[in-house]
Amino acid sequence: MDTSASEGARFQLASDQSLLITFGTEISLTAHQQVMKLLRLLQSEPVASVRNLHPAYCSLLVKFDGLRISHDEVEAILREYLARLEEVKLPEPRQVEIPVCYGGEYGPDLDDVCALHGISPTQAVELHSSATYLVYFLGFVPGFAYLGGLPEALVTPRLATPRRKVPAGSVGIAGNQTGVYPFATPGGWRLIGRTPVAMFRADREELSLLSIGDRVRFARISAERFATLEKEWA
């Protein structure tokens, strides 16, 4: 089962109880919108026996109860949904600003990133905080949003050896992505700053601060402001 589908989509058997639908192989706004439309349609009109939906950059993984429905049956239903994507209207994206204290103890890799690109820390911070990022999807750990739109001048490979523990709130870059670690976890992204804002809270109605489709901007703050906000978010 690996055939071309309508709307430029492609179906691929991912496991005995999952099906992967991809919209091309490149990260793009067009592919993201197709993923969003299919996700929105499936959430508003759920398919019986489908258990979970997992969006990514240009794909949607559909997990289902293999004892109740087959891959072919799921694909047939999804093809009908794909034919209706043009009628799906996406909501206006939410705009979210995240305060960040860059460099020093908050961003221990900022100087190395600057050295790799031949720019100053001030230039790097201006580049990172001047862009508007798109939340393509959430994964890795709860609340971790993969943000696309990193300026080309900051595109940097991951660390050769991941850290065993990255502090919660750390803002990192890897390749052409940026993101914020919600929890203290191992990680190999280069850390350029940290935010005092909680990216995930179990006591919040919307557990994750960010959702797929959001637009994100980072705002530079001082260490003093960081300390004040950290108390407010404690």
Side-chain angles (χ1 to χ4, degrees), residues 200-215:
F200 185 93
R201 291 186 62 153
D203 60 351
R204 193 164 52 196
E205 183 175 355
E206 294 294 334
L207 302 179
S208 174
L209 178 68
L210 300 178
S211 301
I212 183 172
D214 286 349
R215 300 304 196 272

Side-chain angles (χ1 to χ4, degrees), residues 134-189:
L134 169 62
V135 178
Y136 277 94
F137 67 103
L138 281 74
F140 174 51
V141 293
F144 187 95
Y146 287 82
L147 308 178
L150 185 71
E152 184 67 27
L154 288 178
V155 173
T156 309
R158 300 166 185 258
L159 293 171
T161 302
R163 288 182 171 87
R164 292 186 176 182
K165 186 176 182 181
V166 173
S170 292
V171 177
I173 58 177
N176 59 358
Q177 310 167 108
T178 191
V180 184
Y181 286 81
F183 307 103
T185 66
W189 290 31

Side-chain angles (χ1 to χ4, degrees), residues 17-190:
Q17 298 190 80
S18 62
L19 194 62
L20 184 69
I21 305 95
T22 59
F23 296 90
T25 58
E26 296 183 359
I27 299 173
S28 68
L29 180 59
T30 298
H32 168 73
Q33 290 177 336
Q34 295 292 77
V35 171
M36 283 279 289
K37 287 182 177 182
L38 181 56
L39 177 65
R40 190 172 179 82
L41 194 55
L42 285 167
Q43 289 175 332
S44 62
E45 300 178 23
V47 176
S49 300
V50 167
R51 292 174 169 173
N52 288 295
L53 303 168
H54 301 276
Y57 278 116
C58 50
S59 65
L60 182 66
L61 181 67
V62 179
K63 292 187 176 181
F64 55 88
D65 185 345
L67 296 178
R68 295 177 178 273
I69 193 169
S70 69
H71 287 87
D72 289 338
E73 290 172 323
V74 173
E75 179 176 333
I77 294 171
L78 291 176
R79 285 183 180 277
E80 295 178 0
Y81 279 61
L82 287 172
R84 298 169 51 201
L85 289 194
E86 290 306 313
E87 69 186 52
V88 179
K89 303 300 180 184
L90 297 176
E92 283 296 313
R94 193 168 60 110
Q95 309 292 323
V96 182
E97 183 175 276
I98 299 176
V100 179
C101 186
Y102 289 93
E105 64 178 291
Y106 302 100
D109 297 323
L110 180 61
D111 288 342
D112 288 341
V113 170
C114 292
L116 284 170
H117 295 289
I119 58 178
S120 68
T122 297
Q123 289 173 310
V125 171
E126 288 178 349
L127 283 167
H128 189 262
S129 59
S130 66
T132 298
Y133 301 92
L134 169 62
V135 178
Y136 277 94
F137 67 103
L138 281 74
F140 174 51
V141 293
F144 187 95
Y146 287 82
L147 308 178
L150 185 71
E152 184 67 27
L154 288 178
V155 173
T156 309
R158 300 166 185 258
L159 293 171
T161 302
R163 288 182 171 87
R164 292 186 176 182
K165 186 176 182 181
V166 173
S170 292
V171 177
I173 58 177
N176 59 358
Q177 310 167 108
T178 191
V180 184
Y181 286 81
F183 307 103
T185 66
W189 290 31
R190 295 181 189 260

